[in-house]
Amino acid sequence: MYPRNFTMAFLEIKDVCKGYGPTGRRSEVLHNINLEIEQGEFVAIVGYSGAGKTTLISMLAGLIATDPGTIRLEGNLIREPGHDRGVVFQNYSLLPWKSVFGNIYLAVDQVFQNWTKAKKIEHTERYIDLVNLTPARDKKPSELSGGMRQRVALARALAIEPHILLMDEPLSALDALTRATLQDEIVRVWEREKKTVVLITNDVDEGILLADRIIPLSHGPKATLGPSIEVDLARPRSRKAINHDPRFQRIRNQVIGYLLGSGKKPRPKPLAAPVPNLEPMGVAV
Amino acid sequence: MSEWKFKLDWLALPLLGLGVVVVIWVVSSYTWAKQLPSPEKTWEVSKLYVVEPFTKRGEQDQGILRFAWYSVILVAKGYSLALLLGVPLGFLLGSSKLFTKTFDPIFQILRPVSPLAWLPLGLVLFQKSEPAALFTIAICAMWPTVLNTAAGVRSIPQDYLNVARVLKLSRTRTLFSVLLPAALPNMFTGFRLSLGMAWLVIVAVEMLTGAAGVGGFLWQEYNSNIFEHIILCIVTIGLIGFALDRLMNLVETNLHRVLT
């Protein structure tokens, strides 16, 4: 059916646009998005707040439809949410009346319906352990810190054993130190689980630290993806070391250069100032 | 100091308020309202009904709590019916724009109709007084539940709905694992207000149908010119209504603790 299937990327976004509003006064948020991601790749999409990053990830998750354009995961057209995709939302999206265990178990129970109860419980506990939350197993989200909540959300997304992990600014609500810890945790989990990851972020440094490839999203309306920039820094990457690495500086300048040049509107956003050195890294510029 | 303040707030001041009302009552009964029984007279005439609250001496002559118990039973039935009707209606109103556009205007018109107006219709529809009473209680008491459930459903954060969609939860699962718990705090406010409403309605209904209960007793004693018992009934109705509200409040507070 698809003759190109052999060469088709793991995730393929093709000519995707998305607009809101009634015909005639419709404003296009995303315009001609094209992206191919290989299996096991960690890709970061970096852009301004309000550029349409959440719209993009919602389309990947299948929560909203593309206007024109197609998104294929492993050759299958994405039309609706599916268990092949795990999603981590910006604001945790945990159910406050369920414990850490309960939140993750809800997902496990839904996805692995034909497992025995014991197996589902064991599986849930394994993922609680993966994000180091076993001591907080029976706590409610309100009793957890922001970082812990986002770890629960991460565990919930991973526990359904998705083929791809979609993260929508997962760390943007956290303070700098917690953010740094969580970044390390995401890398650790990614290396262990060997998942394909799409991370949406507004923090260039975070993208460079975590991803194999970083793609800037120009600011809206009609936001579109810029050129892919390989992050050819060896792993494990140390925050401290890469700060002085000339390749890091080069990638950073490339991304920021694109973001600054992509629109005429002078918006002094956090990304706007290309500060040469910063330490600690986690602090958003 | 703080303990003293506590006693002032919770004991002394409420007692003072009670005292003021009793003084007004006494003065009134000796001056401009000679028909109004004085407190001592009220107690004298009511004593038997209070000290033997559950004795049944005859169909029309029973302890006050026995009468109240009949009323509570009737309210419980009517209130259950109100919740059974009100919760699904509230869910529809909260989740469907089409349903809201279609039915909200008529609901707004039916909502302020007094129980006294519904009861005759109930009698016409059901011929008997008990189903008519239940009909009246249900239709009057359900509105707070309907509106608060709808508000609760409308205010469910999009995040929770996204979780349900991303995990592809089934409709029943979404309802019971996400929608219901998320809307429950609001719903419970509705439940509490509905119970208050049901208790208001019961007295009117009993008076009109002559059913055995605290409201029926009140009306019967009015017709027999035993005005002391009217006061006894008013006090009883008030105390039980207060107790029911406290009870619901307690449940509500605990529920909030469990859900958040």
Side-chain angles (χ1 to χ4, degrees):
Chain A
M1 203 168 162
Y2 305 114
R4 296 173 49 245
N5 225 4
F6 294 104
T7 55
M8 183 172 271
F10 185 71
L11 177 73
E12 187 195 67
I13 306 175
K14 206 162 186 294
D15 303 327
V16 164
C17 302
K18 182 73 195 177
Y20 294 104
T23 30
R25 282 187 295 127
R26 183 172 170 279
S27 70
E28 203 157 58
V29 179
L30 293 173
H31 182 69
N32 272 346
I33 302 284
N34 282 290
L35 181 62
E36 291 190 355
I37 294 174
E38 296 308 320
Q39 187 158 19
E41 233 188 333
F42 194 132
V43 172
I45 295 172
V46 186
Y48 291 101
S49 312
K53 300 195 297 283
T54 298
T55 302
L56 180 57
I57 210 109
S58 299
M59 287 194 294
L60 293 177
L63 288 170
I64 55 176
T66 58
D67 279 349
T70 54
I71 302 175
R72 286 175 195 279
L73 180 63
E74 298 169 286
N76 304 313
L77 206 58
I78 289 178
R79 287 201 190 85
E80 53 172 14
H83 294 150
D84 49 358
R85 282 151 283 154
V87 187
V88 179
F89 296 99
Q90 185 174 358
N91 33 15
Y92 325 125
S93 295
L94 300 176
L95 303 178
W97 54 88
K98 284 187 184 290
S99 63
V100 169
F101 178 85
N103 268 288
I104 301 171
Y105 188 80
L106 178 73
V108 172
D109 194 28
Q110 180 66 34
V111 176
F112 305 107
Q113 284 178 8
N114 44 9
W115 285 8
T116 62
K117 192 159 187 212
K119 194 172 178 194
K120 285 187 269 196
I121 291 174
E122 191 245 281
H123 185 80
T124 305
E125 281 170 345
R126 190 142 47 85
Y127 279 89
I128 296 176
D129 186 52
L130 180 73
V131 293
N132 298 323
L133 278 178
T134 304
R137 180 189 185 276
D138 298 313
K139 289 217 166 103
K140 294 276 179 63
S142 57
E143 298 171 277
L144 305 176
S145 68
M148 289 163 100
R149 287 182 207 180
Q150 199 52 289
R151 268 145 69 189
V152 179
L154 181 63
R156 180 176 63 187
L158 289 169
I160 67 171
E161 300 191 334
H163 301 174
I164 187 167
L165 183 62
L166 308 171
M167 294 195 275
D168 180 15
E169 300 200 22
L171 310 180
S172 63
L174 304 175
D175 64 272
L177 287 173
T178 314
R179 206 169 173 162
T181 320
L182 263 279
Q183 285 166 351
D184 293 344
E185 198 132 330
I186 286 174
V187 171
R188 184 175 62 79
V189 167
W190 173 70
E191 281 173 345
R192 214 171 117 177
E193 296 270 308
K194 300 276 172 245
K195 288 270 185 280
T196 312
V197 176
V198 178
L199 168 75
I200 300 250
T201 179
N202 59 13
D203 180 349
V204 182
D205 295 348
E206 180 173 283
I208 300 174
L209 185 72
L210 299 179
D212 297 322
R213 196 142 63 92
I214 182 162
I215 303 155
L217 180 70
S218 69
H219 70 58
K222 288 202 167 207
T224 195
L225 290 176
S228 271
I229 298 158
E230 283 311 310
V231 182
D232 47 358
L233 302 169
R235 291 179 193 269
R237 295 171 188 160
S238 135
R239 258 185 203 86
K240 234 173 168 165
I242 65 166
N243 237 347
H244 303 288
D245 190 319
R247 285 173 299 175
F248 169 75
Q249 301 290 347
R250 180 179 47 76
I251 294 165
R252 197 161 191 281
N253 289 336
Q254 261 179 294
V255 175
I256 290 172
Y258 177 83
L259 286 172
L260 284 178
S262 71
K264 281 135 277 157
K265 265 184 288 174
R267 273 212 295 182
K269 276 282 155 189
L271 299 164
V275 185
N277 271 332
L278 24 117
E279 232 169 304
M281 260 290 295
V283 187
V285 223
Chain B
M1 175 69 196
S2 72
E3 200 184 330
W4 183 81
K5 174 102 170 71
F6 179 80
K7 274 192 177 151
L8 182 77
D9 282 358
W10 289 93
L11 200 66
L13 291 179
L15 281 177
L16 181 71
L18 180 67
V20 169
V21 172
V22 171
V23 166
I24 293 173
W25 178 9
V26 172
V27 171
S28 300
S29 68
Y30 285 108
T31 53
W32 61 275
K34 294 271 199 254
Q35 291 283 343
L36 183 69
S38 66
E40 328 71 282
K41 185 100 187 307
T42 304
W43 171 244
E44 223 171 86
V45 178
S46 307
K47 198 176 160 195
L48 179 66
Y49 291 84
V50 178
V51 293
E52 292 181 38
F54 291 106
T55 314
K56 183 171 182 175
R57 287 171 291 268
E59 224 28 73
Q60 313 288 321
D61 187 17
Q62 310 185 29
I64 189 67
L65 287 184
R66 199 181 177 94
F67 274 131
W69 179 247
Y70 297 145
S71 300
V72 168
I73 295 291
L74 197 59
V75 161
K77 287 184 194 165
Y79 178 60
S80 311
L81 200 60
L83 297 195
L84 243 47
L85 287 170
V87 170
L89 279 179
F91 258 88
L92 285 170
L93 211 55
S95 54
S96 160
K97 281 214 171 78
L98 186 70
F99 188 88
T100 306
K101 280 179 190 156
T102 315
F103 288 102
D104 193 55
I106 184 73
F107 284 174
Q108 296 299 339
I109 291 169
L110 294 181
R111 198 162 57 89
V113 175
S114 151
L116 302 175
W118 286 114
L119 186 70
L121 186 65
L123 287 169
V124 170
L125 285 173
F126 302 105
Q127 308 293 329
K128 285 190 193 141
S129 70
E130 176 155 339
L134 294 183
F135 164 79
T136 309
I137 295 170
I139 210 161
C140 291
M142 74 176 184
W143 301 115
T145 296
V146 172
L147 297 180
N148 280 283
T149 302
V153 171
R154 280 194 205 108
S155 64
I156 295 174
Q158 186 62 40
D159 294 341
Y160 301 171
L161 303 177
N162 280 346
V163 169
R165 288 183 62 200
V166 162
L167 295 177
K168 298 183 91 171
L169 300 183
S170 66
R171 276 174 166 273
T172 33
R173 191 133 214 199
T174 303
L175 180 65
F176 287 105
S177 293
V178 181
L179 301 184
L180 213 53
L184 209 53
N186 268 308
M187 285 165 70
F188 231 85
T189 306
F191 293 174
R192 185 162 58 81
L193 296 174
S194 280
L195 185 58
M197 190 69 98
W199 189 243
L200 274 181
V201 171
I202 184 77
V203 176
V205 164
E206 283 179 358
M207 282 167 77
L208 288 180
T209 60
V214 72
F217 180 58
L218 192 155
W219 191 244
Q220 167 210 315
E221 298 302 275
Y222 164 70
N223 287 323
S224 327
N225 286 333
I226 310 175
F227 300 146
E228 292 79 5
H229 288 167
I230 297 180
I231 295 172
L232 172 66
C233 287
I234 289 175
V235 171
T236 310
I237 291 165
L239 285 175
I240 292 176
F242 175 73
L244 290 177
D245 194 64
R246 286 287 94 185
L247 197 72
M248 288 301 275
N249 218 337
L250 209 69
V251 179
E252 207 179 339
T253 316
N254 280 305
L255 195 77
H256 271 282
R257 198 173 313 138
V258 173
L259 289 180
T260 53

